[in-house]
Amino acid sequence: MTSSDAAPIDLERMTEQLLKEIERTTKSSDMAARLATNRIKVAVGQTPKEQIWALNKMRLYHYYPQVPPEQRKAVPILLVFALINRPYIFDLRPGNSFVEYLLHHGYEVYLLDWGTPGPEDAGYDFEDFSLKFLPRAVRAMQRHSKKREFTMLGWCIGATIVTIYAAMRPDDGLRNLILLTAPIDFSDKEGSTFSRWLNTEYYNVDELVRQFGNVPSTVIEYGNKMLKPVENYIGTYLKLWDNLDNPAVVEAWLAMNTWVTDNVDFPGAAFRQWVVEFFRENRLMENKLMMEGRIVDLANIKANLLNVIADKDHIVPNCQSRSIMDRVGSKDKKLIELKGGHIGIMVGSGASKRAWPLMEAWLSERSN
């Protein structure tokens, strides 16, 4: 091939691409500088609400309705999240808020915030949260809504708490029970990384609780991140780096990162019970979990049940959530498996197209 056969160089196209890359790099550099100096803030949990009840650190919120009275559902819904995370994941940010979605579909929405435990709260266990505190929040909601029947939705450990409530208080007005990625059955000791960690003889939960009282949020956060260390400590920041020139992606990343790093301590007695009576001894599924002097029997659950699991859940694998379907006494029960992870199914980019519509369609038929 001679020099005369070479393809001509398109200087105009090369210049255009170079200018675009310079512009992208400039935007990325500016965004990186703003992030590094903490000059970018993202608002979370912004849907208007009012506090209607409080007990110790706990707060119960009611969201202001977004549709006229004639378009509202008859059955209110109470959202309950885990003890170790902030509940505003239900209302992450405008346009990516499950609360906002429910309000626009006519639901009366309530949210329970467990608050941040202090040293004086280290003695609280699952009996306290499920059968002392949660029932009081339910009664406050019933008074406020002037409705006896209600729906309760629990996510992660929040799902375990509401499951215990549903089994022990089956006649207190609970019509619909929705469980999201619920850790219930711990019979498979190799089913998750957490199971392998917590069942080892070297994990001294008694000493951990004795030393700290409440287990520090940093310990819990580190454990969660070490389930996928490369993705959590490297991958997420590489994704951010590749999209620094896209403000929408940066805002979404910041909102999620705000929630991921905004954790609270795990009450000591509840943590010990979680490790020993749930993970190690599987008392709930084996009909051996005692509360208020009685066995917590899943067969007592009568509410309509929707059990939602995620196919790529590395925190609560499907083996911990599926088997409850065979144990509850509910005549109306349904299992839905969605694509996504433990949190992503509800706040990921596809949540408003997959998880939310499916859940709302099921609930709508049972809320009038």
Side-chain angles (χ1 to χ4, degrees):
M1 177 184 290
T2 64
S3 59
S4 60
D5 296 325
I9 298 175
D10 190 341
L11 292 176
E12 183 177 350
R13 184 169 177 271
M14 287 181 61
T15 302
E16 181 182 352
Q17 290 178 334
L18 178 60
L19 291 174
K20 285 183 178 180
E21 185 61 25
I22 292 174
E23 181 182 9
R24 191 185 77 84
T25 303
T26 301
K27 290 181 179 179
S28 297
S29 299
D30 178 65
M31 183 66 75
R34 294 168 65 193
L35 286 171
T37 54
N38 201 30
R39 285 184 288 148
I40 300 180
K41 302 293 183 182
V42 60
V44 293
Q46 293 299 292
T47 304
K49 60 183 181 296
E50 59 180 332
Q51 178 183 313
I52 63 168
W53 174 85
L55 177 66
N56 193 11
K57 314 300 187 328
M58 291 161 277
R59 302 291 184 268
L60 179 65
Y61 295 100
H62 168 251
Y63 289 90
Y64 294 113
Q66 301 294 316
V67 298
E70 63 272 13
Q71 297 179 21
R72 297 174 197 168
K73 302 293 193 296
V75 181
I77 180 171
L78 174 61
L79 306 177
V80 181
F81 199 62
L83 300 172
I84 54 176
N85 302 100
R86 304 287 185 178
Y88 61 75
I89 189 66
F90 283 112
D91 182 32
L92 190 58
R93 61 195 182 97
N96 189 16
S97 166
F98 184 57
V99 166
E100 187 180 69
Y101 185 87
L102 289 175
L103 290 172
H104 289 163
H105 282 79
Y107 293 90
E108 197 82 15
V109 182
Y110 296 81
L111 174 74
L112 178 59
D113 186 343
W114 298 112
T116 302
E120 67 279 8
D121 303 316
Y124 290 144
D125 60 12
F126 277 82
E127 181 174 327
D128 293 309
F129 291 106
S130 299
L131 303 178
K132 293 180 181 177
F133 304 144
L134 181 56
R136 295 183 187 183
V138 167
R139 290 195 291 272
M141 175 189 64
Q142 290 172 323
R143 288 194 300 269
H144 185 270
S145 66
K146 297 180 175 58
K147 303 287 179 60
R148 183 176 184 276
E149 289 194 313
F150 63 97
T151 295
M152 190 148 53
L153 185 156
W155 191 354
C156 190
I157 296 176
T160 311
I161 291 173
V162 302
T163 296
I164 295 170
Y165 171 90
M168 298 291 280
R169 302 283 192 271
D171 300 314
D172 283 5
L174 180 62
R175 180 194 282 196
N176 306 307
L177 177 64
I178 301 178
L179 304 180
L180 293 179
T181 61
I184 301 292
D185 184 356
F186 302 91
S187 57
D188 188 348
K189 303 305 181 184
E190 297 295 320
S192 72
T193 304
F194 271 145
S195 292
R196 293 192 292 273
W197 285 349
L198 299 179
N199 280 287
T200 176
E201 60 183 295
Y202 303 107
Y203 195 92
N204 192 336
V205 64
D206 293 315
E207 184 62 18
L208 180 64
V209 172
R210 188 187 73 82
Q211 290 280 353
F212 290 104
N214 295 320
V215 179
S217 60
T218 51
V219 173
I220 305 298
E221 181 183 355
Y222 179 75
N224 285 333
K225 287 186 174 180
M226 285 305 294
L227 293 174
K228 287 187 174 182
V230 175
E231 179 178 323
N232 289 319
Y233 286 106
I234 299 175
T236 182
Y237 295 100
L238 289 177
K239 179 181 179 181
L240 174 64
W241 180 262
D242 289 340
N243 291 278
L244 283 174
D245 60 322
N246 189 331
V249 173
V250 173
E251 181 181 339
W253 186 93
L254 278 174
M256 193 64 205
N257 189 66
T258 297
W259 178 80
V260 167
T261 57
D262 185 17
N263 299 314
V264 297
D265 297 347
F266 203 138
F271 183 78
R272 185 192 180 282
Q273 188 179 26
W274 187 238
V275 173
V276 176
E277 298 186 14
F278 289 88
F279 265 94
R280 293 180 179 175
E281 299 176 356
N282 198 28
R283 291 191 188 182
L284 180 58
M285 280 300 290
E286 293 187 6
N287 233 30
K288 296 178 181 178
L289 183 65
M290 297 290 295
M291 292 188 180
E292 295 184 333
R294 297 181 290 138
I295 289 178
V296 181
D297 190 351
L298 297 176
N300 290 334
I301 296 178
K302 299 188 296 185
N304 305 320
L305 174 64
L306 177 64
N307 188 12
V308 182
I309 60 179
D311 67 343
K312 294 181 177 62
D313 195 335
H314 66 290
I315 295 178
V316 181
N318 292 345
C319 61
Q320 293 182 0
S321 304
R322 286 181 179 275
S323 52
I324 191 177
M325 304 301 293
D326 300 323
R327 299 294 300 277
V328 299
S330 307
K331 295 180 180 179
D332 181 348
K333 52 187 176 181
K334 183 176 183 179
L335 174 70
I336 296 179
E337 180 174 345
L338 299 173
K339 293 182 178 180
H342 186 70
I343 299 297
I345 61 167
M346 286 295 287
V347 295
S349 58
S352 61
K353 299 180 180 65
R354 293 192 297 269
W356 300 354
L358 284 172
M359 293 165 60
E360 196 283 321
W362 180 90
L363 187 58
S364 178
E365 296 177 356
R366 296 159 178 82
S367 295
N368 291 310

